[in-house]
Amino acid sequence: MHYSVEHEDIKRFKREVASYIGIEMTFASRRNAEQDQFDVCVEASAFKVNNGQELCTSRLKTEPFMQWLAKNVPDKNAVIYYGFDANEQHRIQRRSGIMGAQGWCTDYPLIWPDRTIFDVEEIGIRRPSTYSVFKHGNCIGCLKAGWQHWYIVYCTRPDIWEKAKWAEDEIGHAIHHEDSGPAYLEDMEQRFLAMKKAGVIATEHVPHQRFWATAKKVIEISPQMELYLPCECTEGGL
Ligand code: SF4
């Protein structure tokens, strides 16, 4: 993941976990992590591929990960561990199915009944600060996420907001689509500004129904804006 869209505190978290486990981190990155989700899309002149899947997942995660596995792990009896928890059963099933179909075994330590660690803070590792506003540690400015996520980007990361607008300009498509057609970031700015001035809190931790009920007091919203679209991207892709 490119440096600008992966928060510095996530890098700190990864370093501390690797140090605790006593292993060196290995990165399976595309082009030495020089590109972010916008760069790969602009390069391909598209945000989505095939049946509507986000191109960034495939370019930044799936392809480098599978290439790394093919090159470095000849033994298909190796187990690939994922950090999904018991609330993410559908992701576990999906991941087991995708990897299993290719002959890989997967496992999910966070759902094991016998555990010694239930929270990283128990071993003195702070969870990434991004969790204070986001529900995940994935790209900021996620191309799969809904408008609540993008409101946080607008309020807290104007650099990423501007880069996303640049990508929309370059590609000639919008990241978001509504029944009425494409919904460009630029067209959302006046509404987000009004929300910001009205003190609508930029966070994913307010349930989306309450978040948009508050927003509705100051702006007109569409049904698509009210949808909660979580980022379910993971290393290895979806
Ligand atoms: S986290 Fe979002 S933006 Fe990043 S690669 Fe996955 S789908 Fe794309």
Side-chain angles (χ1 to χ4, degrees), residues 157-177:
R157 291 296 302 265
D159 55 329
I160 295 178
W161 180 269
E162 288 302 320
K163 185 151 188 186
K165 279 168 56 184
W166 164 79
E168 288 189 331
D169 272 352
E170 290 287 318
I171 295 170
H173 289 289
I175 295 166
H176 303 264
H177 285 265

Side-chain angles (χ1 to χ4, degrees), residues 37 54 56-57 60-61 138-139 141-144 231 233:
Q37 68 271 41
E54 271 67 16
C56 49
T57 305
L60 295 174
K61 297 187 172 179
N138 273 328
C139 304
C142 174
L143 301 182
K144 278 185 191 168
C231 174
C233 202

Side-chain angles (χ1 to χ4, degrees), residues 5-37:
V5 294
E6 184 178 70
H7 197 281
E8 188 52 43
D9 203 44
I10 291 175
K11 299 184 203 308
R12 185 270 314 161
F13 178 79
K14 288 176 176 172
R15 280 194 304 270
E16 290 185 9
V17 171
S19 161
Y20 181 86
I21 299 171
I23 56 170
E24 272 187 40
M25 268 194 291
T26 300
F27 294 95
S29 308
R30 174 187 167 88
R31 295 191 197 161
N32 207 20
E34 287 167 354
Q35 292 180 306
D36 62 24
Q37 68 271 41

Side-chain angles (χ1 to χ4, degrees), residues 211-230:
F211 176 84
W212 290 112
T214 312
K216 252 188 230 176
K217 291 177 186 163
V218 285
I219 63 161
E220 194 177 321
I221 66 171
S222 64
Q224 282 80 15
M225 284 175 73
E226 288 186 90
L227 292 178
Y228 179 68
L229 299 174

Side-chain angles (χ1 to χ4, degrees), residues 64-102:
F65 181 60
M66 298 314 288
Q67 282 164 9
W68 185 89
L69 275 183
K71 192 169 161 201
N72 295 285
V73 189
D75 178 7
K76 285 226 170 171
N77 290 320
V79 179
I80 302 166
Y81 292 97
Y82 289 89
F84 300 146
D85 66 27
N87 297 314
E88 299 176 294
Q89 292 297 337
H90 64 291
R91 300 182 76 183
I92 291 173
Q93 277 170 15
R94 185 174 167 81
R95 187 105 308 261
S96 311
I98 291 172
M99 296 304 283
Q102 297 175 57

